[in-house]
Amino acid sequence: MNLRDDARALSGDLIQLRRTLHRIPETGLDLPRTQETVLAALDGLPLEVRTGDGLSSVTAVLRGGRPGPTVLLRGDMDALPVAERTGLDFAADNGRMHACGHDLHTTMLTGAAKLLSAHRDRLAGNVLFMFQPGEEGYDGARYMLAEGLLDATGQRPAAAYAIHVLSAGLPSGVFRTRGGTAMAASNTLRVTVQGEGGHGSMPHRAKDPVQAGCAMVTALQAWITRTFDVFDPVILTVGTFHAGTKQNVIPDTAVFEATVRSFSDAAQARVKDGTVEVCRGIAAAYGVDVDAEFQEVYPVTVNDHTEADFAAGAVREALGEERYVPQAQPLQGSEDFSRVLAEVPGAMLFLGAPPRGADPERSPNNHSPLAEFDDAVLADGATLYAELAARRLASA
Ligand SMILES: [Zn+2]
């Protein structure tokens, strides 16, 4: 089977499907129009298709002509609450945007379903296609796992792969991955400082939550630098800080929120308790009350070393040596594919898709209202999904 040639023949259809999805971005766990579009694209293929109960997921199983293991391929489908400013003729106008390129993932995965369906008889095993809503902070993968994703073929998958496009930082059509830690764990720290308001001229008769809150913000940064090995880093960024109504009034409360990223289970465990302790200690020193809540959003994404090497080999052999570069460092972003990789050995790969002619080091990043992704990568993305499954089944 020459999946790459087959994919090239599909390229026009893939571009059309991607632009259709791009025009109808939906966010969260409920993506009815996206789901309908995916179901229409899969219609007529020899798949066992199931939709989610609590979310608009699509699970499709392709059973090969011969028995063998199951390989899971994941594509996420949700968009972001970003108002698109690309000016593209297929730009979205509903205040939401496929600014993370999940429209490309969805399209590539339907392409792989078509490519593999055409060679069904030659596959020894099953392919489980995971079309997932709610990657952007809604933990869609966790819900799909809870609804029995991994039992869809009757046997646990032997391997799992996902591809994520990048609008910057990697040349178009180039893949990269790494064994071990691939992406950060993501957490949210929410802190409410409860003081006692008063007159700005008489702070000694109040308990100033602004001053205490500011001390927490700076103490957290200092604590991180004295606590964690620089080679196992933690990132903490306070993104919101709200307090007060007027310059001469000490308010009752101050509220701030931070995103916290870590790259190992050890650092994650330490930062989880430590940030809360720092806030409590500062609160005690200032005589205010504090409610500090550390919410774990997504765990560290860890690629299996063998599966990452296997995926790198698949890129080189199927698409060419020049299409693969090793990934030196983990990305600071996070992923709920981490939840699948905690259950099944596998790998997350990144695919460069900056706009044609743009300098990848200067093009707008994923999540920007100006982020653009090159449709030209769709055929090779679909090829690679299909190659990963076909090769992994053949190697079992
Ligand atoms: Zn994404």
Side-chain angles (χ1 to χ4, degrees):
M1 54 183 119
N2 190 329
L3 295 167
R4 197 178 185 189
D5 286 347
D6 295 356
R8 282 188 178 133
L10 283 180
S11 185
D13 291 349
L14 295 177
I15 290 171
Q16 206 178 1
L17 174 60
R18 183 261 163 155
R19 294 184 178 192
T20 298
L21 290 165
H22 195 86
R23 282 195 191 93
I24 54 163
E26 297 173 299
T27 56
L29 296 171
D30 188 31
L31 319 173
R33 295 186 70 193
T34 305
Q35 184 189 47
E36 196 181 308
T37 307
V38 167
L39 291 172
L42 299 179
D43 191 38
L45 298 177
L47 303 167
E48 296 162 22
V49 176
R50 260 187 264 165
T51 54
D53 295 324
L55 71 175
S56 49
S57 57
V58 177
T59 308
V61 172
L62 178 67
R63 296 200 186 270
R66 287 173 290 139
T70 293
V71 172
L72 183 153
L73 302 174
R74 182 273 220 160
D76 42 6
M77 306 192 288
D78 57 321
L80 285 155
V82 169
E84 180 158 2
R85 290 198 283 125
T86 60
L88 293 167
D89 59 7
F90 56 92
D93 59 5
N94 66 353
R96 298 167 184 183
M97 177 183 175
H98 272 295
C100 202
H102 298 183
D103 50 338
L104 282 85
H105 309 161
T106 307
T107 302
M108 296 184 315
L109 197 59
T110 65
K114 281 191 185 130
L115 295 173
L116 291 167
S117 291
H119 298 287
R120 178 188 188 185
D121 294 346
R122 295 170 65 181
L123 297 176
N126 310 310
V127 186
L128 170 54
F129 300 92
M130 172 188 181
F131 292 92
Q132 184 208 309
E135 190 285 320
E136 297 287 358
Y138 293 86
D139 221 343
R142 186 163 63 89
Y143 289 103
M144 289 188 74
L145 288 166
E147 290 193 0
L149 169 73
L150 299 182
D151 301 315
T153 67
Q155 61 179 180
R156 300 277 288 195
Y161 307 100
I163 300 173
H164 203 302
V165 292
L166 299 175
S167 61
L170 195 60
S172 190
V174 173
F175 288 85
R176 76 179 178 203
T177 191
R178 73 195 305 272
T181 302
M183 295 183 83
S186 170
N187 311 278
T188 302
L189 177 68
R190 287 194 183 82
V191 180
T192 301
V193 185
Q194 182 69 49
E196 280 175 27
H199 198 291
S201 67
M202 292 180 283
H204 63 292
R205 300 190 63 170
K207 289 181 181 173
D208 186 352
V210 177
Q211 193 63 36
C214 290
M216 290 172 197
V217 171
T218 52
L220 285 166
Q221 296 298 340
W223 174 77
I224 282 170
T225 70
R226 303 301 91 182
T227 305
F228 295 97
D229 186 334
V230 290
F231 298 111
D232 186 11
V234 167
I235 302 163
L236 185 149
T237 295
V238 175
T240 69
F241 191 114
H242 296 288
T245 53
K246 199 170 189 300
Q247 92 285 359
N248 62 354
V249 177
I250 294 173
D252 284 329
T253 58
V255 178
F256 68 91
E257 294 175 312
T259 188
V260 185
R261 309 285 164 124
S262 70
F263 298 87
S264 72
D265 289 343
Q268 174 69 13
R270 185 82 184 85
V271 78
K272 181 183 175 187
D273 295 334
T275 48
V276 172
E277 285 163 16
V278 167
C279 292
R280 287 185 183 152
I282 300 284
Y286 280 77
V288 296
D289 290 329
V290 69
D291 178 21
E293 182 205 351
F294 189 93
Q295 184 199 354
E296 296 180 275
V297 182
Y298 291 157
V300 181
T301 301
V302 183
N303 286 341
D304 180 86
H305 283 278
T306 306
E307 295 298 345
D309 286 348
F310 170 82
V315 176
R316 291 199 190 97
E317 287 168 27
L319 299 173
E321 284 292 332
E322 73 288 357
R323 301 290 293 279
Y324 180 76
V325 292
Q327 182 183 335
Q329 306 292 349
L331 291 189
Q332 295 95 328
S334 66
E335 252 294 338
D336 66 354
F337 191 58
S338 54
R339 303 224 184 261
V340 176
L341 292 180
E343 303 283 331
V344 180
M348 172 117 202
L349 293 90
F350 298 96
L351 166 58
R356 206 169 308 183
D359 175 354
E361 294 309 319
R362 302 181 70 99
S363 52
N365 275 294
N366 289 37
H367 290 207
S368 162
L370 298 172
E372 288 182 41
F373 299 86
D374 187 0
D375 287 331
V377 305
L378 291 169
D380 283 348
T383 301
L384 193 73
Y385 267 126
E387 288 279 359
L388 286 168
R391 285 167 186 263
R392 188 64 180 71
L393 292 180
S395 76

